[in-house]
Amino acid sequence: MPIEPTLRNAAHLLRRAGWGGTLEEIRAAADRGIDATVEALLDPADAPLLVEPARSPGVSPYDLETLQLWFVRHAATSPTPLLERLCWFWHGHFATSIEKVELGDLMFRQLATLRANGAGRFDDLLLSVVHDPAMNTYLDLGRSVVGQPNENFARELMELFTLGVGNGYTQADVVEVGRAFTGYLLDWDAELDRPTGTRLVPALHDHGEKRILGRVGPLDGHDVVELLAARPECHRFIARRFWLRHAGTDPVEAVLDDLAAAFADRLVIADLARATFTHPAFYADDVHQALVAQPVEVVVRTVRGFELPLPDPAAGSIWELDDEVVSFGPIEWLETLGQRIGLPPNVGGWPHNGPWLDTNRAAGRLLAGTSIGDAIIDHSPHAEALLDLVGRPAAITEALMVRFGVVEWSLATEEAIGAALRTGEPDLDLRAAIALAFTSPEVTLS
Amino acid sequence: MTARPDPTTRRRFLRLAGGAGVGIAALGAGGGVAALGAGGPRLAAALDRAAVAPVVATGGGPILITIQLAGGLDFLDTVVPVGDDYERLRGRGAIDRSGTHRLDDSFALHPSLTHLAERWHAGELAVVHGVGTPGSSLSHFVDTEMWERGTTDESVRTGWLGRSLDRLSPGRPDPLLGLAVGELSPSMWGPRWNPVALPDDGRLPWSASFIDEHPGVVAAYHRLQTASGDPGASLADRVRASQGVVRGVADTLGGATDLDALAEAAELFGDDDGDEARGTGPLARGLELIADLILGGLETRAFHVRHGDFDTHADQASNLPARLIELDGAIDGLRRKLGARWSDVVVATWTEFGRRPDWNGNGTEHGTAGTQFVIGPSVAAGHHGEPSPLDRFDRDGNFLVTTDFRSYLAGLAAHTLGVGPDVVAPGVEPMEVVA
């Protein structure tokens, strides 16, 4: 039975499978129907190519700030929001941090790799991660050579990336996978003075026989990827994680069965996404508003909804831009909200739900909200229309609903926004109203 | 805004908060056993009994500061055994023994731990050997969560410190009994309320003069801790509660609808630019902040701060000494800053696991048993627990665990916070690490 195409369901889908939509977009999605909207989201036909940020003189070669602005702008303006959302999901799954990787362009390259393979076959994605220089650096893969295998990558490959802890592997498997992954070294480009890829150096690889998950032979990293991607434990583990991060709850067994079956058939991630976003359980009451939007998600949603004109980091160094408010706004907002692209807390990625609601974060949301209010009034093409409505609180509240893509404000939020709009100073009132809308449960929760 | 509470801060704080304890009573018994999740009936029942049993009164007593050494500290390089075994096990990865600080006939401390060695000779250092989790998974995440819960029961959703602090606050929760620098450690998650988390940039959310001028702010801050930590509330209610509290603060500053007041209120709660003048590393900064709070008169009983990364799969020869120097200097900075109040403090480390005896060419792999330090004038100085044998290993080639991590944590809880060991994990024998 098709999912009922209510505005509430359509808004829910656009928030979880993309970066939200304006009320017009939500209406269009509802008119089109849920299944058809999911298909359109999954269609990569008009996916734009990624354009690298410009290099900043004296900075080697991109910095964390450039990475933030580049990703936020790219995600907010992309005609294929689900592809960007999948890239973001995989960045949290195959987490690496610039803190250890150091080179910003390796972080950019990794995001490009995750995006290119993020909806395709999982084994292809896994193989691209094996050969990703950022991952190679982050989990010490390049330090692992015959006779001295390093277990860092081997363990996380099974624990966090494919099977899940306790799901059918032992410490002996970790040791053997470590041996299979010896000799995968960074490929340094002397002219660029940075790695451009990785390669297997035969002399440093352990060619001996290994026993991994019951299979015996002179296995190498590619064999291990093939072996792991074929395991039913892997299909269930990835399906569970995908559901948790998009639905917000742990899937019940029956739902997990459906997802894993859809995924296992061809190992295509788009199949898993389709099974998730068209599942009746995805539209159950306890899934609506059961996910705390991560800061990157809520910032992209706001930039997108208000069409904030961010400068293109591909066009020139962000450090040579004149307009600081709008160029550096998203960078500051993410920092205040406690999340930065390319800087996850550890290899497990970013936390889920509860930790985003601690006391430091509550204050950060309001602080970022006030700054976002400033940026919208000064730079959004929709600011003039909003200011024209001054004196009509109900109309402004409704206009904010359109831009934030909220189908219905709760009474408490409506009252808070309404009260902010009645003090008689149009600019300040509107900024406070935007800040309150930004910190409301309707926007904070996805 | 200056950040120097005077000794009367706590009294003022309590007076002011007492006048405006709304919202806190409303939380009441909301969490309780329901927050523990579905399974684990045995422990849940034990903890439930603990929640209704008579409790010790809140009040003065030793202050426990836990330092999480995240990533798994290699104890073999940190507390080096005297004799040939060390070089035999580590091969060419062994550190140069000549710079180590000899403790006694059995052990020497890493060259970076100069001040800790001084504490040993002053009778203020306990070295706890062979500490680990039963049946270690060798996973950072599994073992860290086990240490945070303080029990092997995976159905428990609260932390060992959170449960202990809850026992000290039997009536109205007092979120200031516990305080984390940086993110709130899950070890502090409580059954009814969560302790305070402060940003690690050195800013305090209040000062003595500020409290006098804005009593509502302090009461609201108190409410924020309970509102955002209530495990029984829906996500939307928790967002709304925290939003409402910050807006309440803005009200006292000039109106919830005034943007500047909103921004000012938000800044009071932290997450702003750091104070560069403080300390050197984040750990030193965090411990200095904790010293300020103790000297300022807050009767906080447990603090938590995190230090790392100790996951030295590679470059152990350079990374481990750097982290240890920071640890050593930061603890000594705390001692010097506290002056006479140092005698009220017990500093205890924990790390999710130790590391493998073998050298992998650049570093060491995930292991099992680790060594923990307990530091302060009131500790039972000396060695505790049986050192893991250097010639017998488990089936994965790791050191044998000789001390159950639950006994270690229960000992800290019992002898500093005065709560029964069952609050940490039912049936464990608390170690006598504090005199």
Side-chain angles (χ1 to χ4, degrees), chain B residues 46-90:
Chain B
L47 295 174
D48 194 28
R49 276 197 306 282
V52 295
V55 266
V56 298
T58 309
I63 298 164
L64 176 61
I65 301 174
T66 54
I67 303 179
Q68 176 186 357
L69 305 177
L73 169 69
D74 177 45
F75 85 78
L76 205 55
D77 271 7
T78 307
V79 183
V80 184
V82 173
D84 301 336
D85 287 326
Y86 172 69
E87 280 80 5
R88 176 178 57 78
L89 289 172
R90 273 296 148 81

Side-chain angles (χ1 to χ4, degrees), chain B residues 85-106:
Chain B
D85 287 326
Y86 172 69
E87 280 80 5
R88 176 178 57 78
L89 289 172
R90 273 296 148 81
R92 58 188 182 80
I95 61 168
D96 177 6
R97 201 184 264 279
S98 64
T100 58
H101 306 283
R102 190 75 176 252
L103 299 183
D104 49 27
D105 291 343
S106 307

Side-chain angles (χ1 to χ4, degrees), chain A residues 99-100 138 345-346, chain B residues 66-74 140 144 181 200 281-284 287 304-312 318-328 330 349-352 355:
Chain A
E99 204 169 39
K100 182 162 173 181
Y138 188 60
N346 57 50
Chain B
T66 54
I67 303 179
Q68 176 186 357
L69 305 177
L73 169 69
D74 177 45
H140 291 299
T144 298
V181 179
D200 61 3
L283 180 68
L287 289 179
H304 176 88
V305 60
R306 190 175 179 278
H307 178 48
D309 179 350
F310 285 95
D311 193 21
T312 48
S318 54
N319 285 339
L320 183 64
R323 306 282 182 275
L324 289 178
I325 281 184
E326 215 179 326
L327 175 70
D328 187 72
T349 64
W350 67 269
T351 187
E352 66 262 39
R355 305 193 77 82

Side-chain angles (χ1 to χ4, degrees), chain A residues 143 148 151 159 359 366 439, chain B residues 92 139 225 243 246 365:
Chain A
R143 312 295 294 274
Q148 297 178 331
E151 292 174 17
E159 175 177 337
T359 56
L366 195 51
T439 59
Chain B
R92 58 188 182 80
S139 154
Q225 309 309 326
Q243 183 198 37
V246 181
E365 302 297 339

Side-chain angles (χ1 to χ4, degrees), chain B residues 409-422:
Chain B
L409 295 181
L412 293 174
H415 299 297
T416 59
L417 303 177
V419 298
D422 282 2

Side-chain angles (χ1 to χ4, degrees), chain A residues 32-51:
Chain A
R32 182 187 258 176
I34 298 295
D35 286 359
T37 302
V38 170
E39 288 313 318
L41 283 166
L42 283 168
D43 181 8
D46 48 358
L49 292 174
L50 279 192
V51 185

